Amino acid sequence: MQKTATASQLLHNLQQLLGPGRVITDPERNEHYRKGFRSGDGPALAVVFPHQLVAFWRVLNCCVDAGAIIILQAANTGLTEGSTPSGSDYDRPVVIINTLQMRGIHLLDDGRQIVALPGATLHNLERLLTPLKRSPHSEIGSSCIGASIIGGIANNSGGALCQRGPAYTELALFAQVDASGQLRLVNHLGIDLGETPEEILTNLEQGTFARVDDLPYSEQEPRPRMASDREYSQRIRDVDADTPARFNADARRLFEASGCAGKVAVFAVRLDTFPIPERTQTFYIGSNDPTVFARLRRGLLTELPELPILGEYLHRDMFDMAAEYGKDSFYIIEKLGTGNMPRFFAIKGRVDAWLEKRRFLPRFLTDRLLQKLSHLLPEHLPQRMRDYRKQFEHHLIVKVADANIAPAQTWLNAFFERDENTGDFFACTPTEAAKAMLHRFVAAGAAMRYQNVHSEEVGELLPLDIALRRNDGDWQEQLPDAMESQLERRLYYGHFMCNVFHQDYILKKNADPKKVKAALLKTLDQRGARYPAEHNVGHLYQADEPLKQFYQSLDPTNTFNPGIGKTDRHQRHCSCG
């Protein structure tokens, strides 16, 4: 009875604070926000939508005072169930705070840095920076579905750009619940915003900055705090190192908001931006020998004057999967532009949720209809790419810029002139380059579409993202027959220069997903791989001990996102961290 009364009082307080229209308690109306992008869901007392930073702060106070669980969410585009409830076995009421309505972005130093508020998206940042000839950290994939900037920081997002590394900053403004159960606001932006929380947050939202430090010094290190991973380009070039270039639980890149997984409430992050190259050139490369690609990776990372911008890999099976089951997405993005994609995905999500309740209709009806419509669309991939699909099992898209273009062309010519380096490459036209990258992007959703359309014939989709050691040239996965017999399809794509791969396994109908996953992870452990590579552990992966300790240091009472990384879900009562 006491919990019910507390929950009722909390709802009343939230509605008084935000208005009834910004507090959704109806499970049917808020289901879209309680379900993960790929998987995961659970009940919640309410989903709330603060529209100002001060209101966000007051909502947090209401939830902390009521002893509620707080789950923070922006676009809900994560792939590991990290921004929704997971199951119903929580010991306190759950409140989901959706931050997308607080979209502000402030430019610093003519756009060389930015301050992003909780709902600011990568797409909006791209649009803001393009006239300044600057670009954000990430430029593939997540921007198309409306991912938030702070979500990328909180979830260790990796990205395709091998010069920039994981999304990272040491400059943030966030709220956390301390060991005594008190909510406090921490300003480590290096910007003077005032004294009280209300003053700080009002000035932040309005962009009223009294003073901006160039780069404040960290208390932990004798160097200025970073607003991006400025050490990554050196790290990725170290191709003889026995550790991965980047992975989710890398202690080097766990710092306050960075990698926090929603264990603190982030109000703003300060980030570097990057100059847009004057010229770029994309090369499309194919080979049937994985050792050729291993040598190619080492050479491109160590023998060119500058690092490539990106190197994106597709196995032929994933090429085919994306060509057939990503075709409609390809056309939608190409014809409508990325600006309309977040709205498209949101509408589709709501329609799917409504249709799922109509038991007389087949499952995944929108996916089935879109797939049938895609068969009516004309061929969308360039002829040279299709020719390479016939010739080669392994495909690589390499993009270079400015002074690196001529050396890269010369290097590739010399590389494939050697007898041991079987394969070939061509320099893409601008149209071919755009289509190649779009094909690579839609690959990420193709396996999910295939599984949905064929759900009656195949088992579950098991997606893994893994980081191999930098010195690991044996990158192509070999599975024993017993494990292979459990798989309907296995599909590989990824960020080849970083030795980071997305591996999507579609299981046979009778396969046990838990046993298959455990067996796959065991083989990865034996190879010295780390996982997840660039998505948060969410509720799908076990956090290792250092990551658990990081979470507990941020959130000693287990108020925010409990259970993340398969950790304990229960409230902790502590007075000393």
Side-chain angles (χ1 to χ4, degrees):
M1 290 296 294
Q2 184 61 39
K3 282 190 175 182
T4 303
T6 301
S8 299
Q9 186 61 50
L10 174 57
L11 283 178
H12 173 77
N13 292 342
L14 292 172
Q15 289 167 345
Q16 288 289 106
L17 178 62
L18 298 177
R22 296 184 183 276
V23 180
I24 303 179
T25 58
D26 183 347
E28 289 201 9
R29 288 183 58 214
N30 64 28
E31 182 180 20
H32 171 69
Y33 303 96
R34 296 186 292 102
K35 298 186 73 170
F37 187 71
R38 266 188 176 170
S39 63
D41 66 273
L45 178 68
V47 181
V48 302
F49 302 85
H51 61 293
Q52 293 178 324
L53 296 183
V54 170
F56 183 15
W57 169 253
R58 290 171 180 164
V59 165
L60 291 171
N61 274 282
C62 283
C63 293
V64 171
D65 290 345
I69 286 170
I70 300 167
I71 295 178
L72 299 158
Q73 175 191 99
N76 191 19
T77 57
L79 302 181
T80 57
E81 306 179 7
S83 56
T84 60
S86 180
S88 57
D89 55 338
Y90 293 100
D91 61 339
R92 292 152 286 163
V94 175
V95 175
I96 300 171
I97 303 177
N98 185 286
T99 64
L100 267 186
Q101 296 186 24
M102 297 169 286
R103 294 176 171 265
I105 300 173
H106 303 299
L107 300 178
L108 304 178
D109 191 19
D110 297 322
R112 290 176 179 83
Q113 287 190 334
I114 60 102
V115 173
L117 302 191
T121 64
L122 278 167
H123 182 265
N124 287 340
L125 180 56
E126 284 178 339
R127 190 167 52 187
L128 189 65
L129 291 176
T130 297
L132 304 176
K133 297 186 177 180
R134 309 284 298 181
S135 64
H137 164 269
S138 299
E139 294 181 8
I140 183 177
S142 53
S143 61
C144 294
I145 53 177
S148 71
I149 298 166
I150 285 179
I153 293 294
N155 293 317
N156 303 90
S157 294
L161 304 180
C162 58
Q163 298 172 346
R164 302 180 191 174
Y168 182 72
T169 187
E170 296 167 354
L171 304 167
L173 189 151
F174 56 93
Q176 66 180 152
V177 178
D178 64 20
S180 65
Q182 297 299 306
L183 186 71
R184 63 190 186 96
L185 192 66
V186 179
N187 181 8
H188 287 166
L189 282 174
I191 300 173
D192 185 359
L193 294 166
E195 298 298 328
T196 67
E198 287 77 9
E199 182 185 9
I200 290 170
L201 296 174
T202 299
N203 286 334
L204 172 61
E205 192 149 45
Q206 296 176 353
T208 308
F209 301 160
R211 189 190 75 254
V212 178
D213 295 337
D214 288 338
L215 275 175
Y217 277 81
S218 164
E219 298 172 1
Q220 291 85 356
E221 301 179 45
R223 61 160 174 77
R225 290 194 173 193
M226 295 191 293
S228 62
D229 187 350
R230 296 183 175 182
E231 300 166 351
Y232 188 73
S233 59
Q234 180 180 351
R235 183 173 177 84
I236 193 178
R237 282 186 184 273
D238 187 1
V239 294
D240 293 316
D242 197 35
T243 55
R246 56 181 171 91
F247 58 98
N248 179 266
D250 186 355
R252 298 168 50 257
R253 292 298 171 255
L254 298 174
F255 190 92
E256 296 180 344
S258 293
C260 70
K263 298 299 284 182
V264 295
V266 185
F267 284 81
V269 293
R270 181 175 165 186
L271 298 169
D272 291 328
T273 68
F274 304 87
I276 293 175
E278 294 292 330
R279 295 185 304 124
T280 62
Q281 177 61 60
T282 298
F283 299 102
Y284 199 93
I285 305 169
S287 179
N288 289 313
D289 185 350
T291 63
V292 170
F293 267 29
R295 290 193 291 270
L296 185 75
R297 174 181 166 269
R298 289 180 67 92
L300 289 172
L301 289 176
T302 61
E303 298 177 21
L304 294 180
E306 300 174 8
L307 284 172
I309 294 174
L310 56 79
E312 291 297 292
Y313 170 76
L314 278 173
H315 186 273
R316 177 159 53 196
D317 291 344
M318 181 50 97
F319 184 107
D320 293 345
M321 181 69 72
E324 182 174 357
Y325 291 90
K327 189 175 183 180
D328 58 301
S329 295
F330 185 105
Y331 267 101
I332 290 169
I333 296 171
E334 185 179 52
K335 303 305 180 186
L336 299 182
T338 58
N340 291 300
M341 292 310 295
R343 184 177 301 172
F344 171 81
F345 280 108
I347 292 172
K348 181 179 180 297
R350 290 183 176 90
V351 171
D352 287 341
W354 186 85
L355 290 173
E356 194 172 332
K357 296 179 178 62
R358 276 63 195 171
R359 303 299 182 191
F360 59 90
L361 294 173
R363 295 184 69 202
F364 309 114
L365 182 58
T366 58
D367 284 302
R368 295 172 188 271
L369 291 174
L370 287 169
Q371 190 59 35
K372 286 185 179 296
L373 289 173
S374 73
H375 295 154
L376 305 176
L377 297 170
E379 178 56 59
H380 60 298
L381 297 178
Q383 184 64 49
R384 289 201 288 183
M385 283 178 61
R386 288 183 280 138
D387 290 342
Y388 266 47
R389 182 262 163 223
K390 295 176 184 176
Q391 289 180 258
F392 301 118
E393 180 181 358
H394 305 291
H395 297 242
L396 186 63
I397 305 163
V398 174
K399 185 177 180 182
V400 295
D402 297 332
N404 215 26
I405 295 174
Q409 177 91 47
T410 301
W411 189 90
L412 287 168
N413 282 327
F415 181 85
F416 282 108
E417 284 174 359
R418 299 201 294 271
D419 290 340
E420 70 270 23
N421 294 329
T422 56
D424 206 351
F425 79 100
F426 63 85
C428 297
T429 66
T431 298
E432 288 173 328
K435 287 179 179 289
M437 285 306 300
L438 187 48
H439 184 58
R440 161 62 185 87
F441 167 64
V442 300
M448 188 175 178
R449 167 66 65 79
Y450 175 91
Q451 196 274 337
N452 287 349
V453 170
H454 298 280
S455 60
E456 295 175 5
E457 301 99 49
V458 302
E460 290 189 18
L461 169 64
L462 176 58
L464 300 178
D465 64 293
I466 69 160
L468 299 179
R469 297 167 296 175
R470 283 169 282 174
N471 64 357
D472 192 348
D474 189 17
W475 57 272
Q476 188 176 32
E477 183 173 61
Q478 304 293 329
L479 296 177
D481 291 342
M483 197 179 304
E484 189 78 57
S485 67
Q486 301 296 303
L487 305 176
E488 185 75 27
R489 306 287 292 271
R490 51 181 175 131
L491 304 159
Y492 300 94
Y493 56 109
H495 313 304
F496 196 73
M497 296 299 147
C498 301
N499 241 9
V500 165
F501 293 90
H502 298 279
Q503 303 184 169
D504 288 353
Y505 305 90
I506 299 170
L507 309 187
K508 290 187 180 296
K509 191 68 177 176
N510 60 349
D512 185 326
K514 290 184 178 180
K515 289 183 179 179
V516 173
K517 183 177 180 179
L520 288 169
L521 295 183
K522 184 176 180 180
T523 66
L524 292 172
D525 291 338
Q526 293 167 349
R527 297 173 68 191
R530 297 298 298 264
Y531 49 84
E534 59 175 11
H535 298 133
N536 188 267
V537 290
H539 290 281
L540 298 183
Y541 294 92
Q542 181 79 46
D544 62 16
E545 194 57 38
L547 188 57
K548 289 180 185 177
Q549 292 176 8
F550 175 65
Y551 291 159
Q552 186 162 343
S553 70
L554 292 177
D555 183 25
T557 63
N558 212 18
T559 295
F560 291 96
N561 216 5
I564 200 80
K566 299 186 182 294
T567 57
D568 181 42
R569 294 169 180 260
H570 295 88
Q571 187 173 22
R572 288 191 292 266
H573 300 279
C574 55
S575 58
C576 58

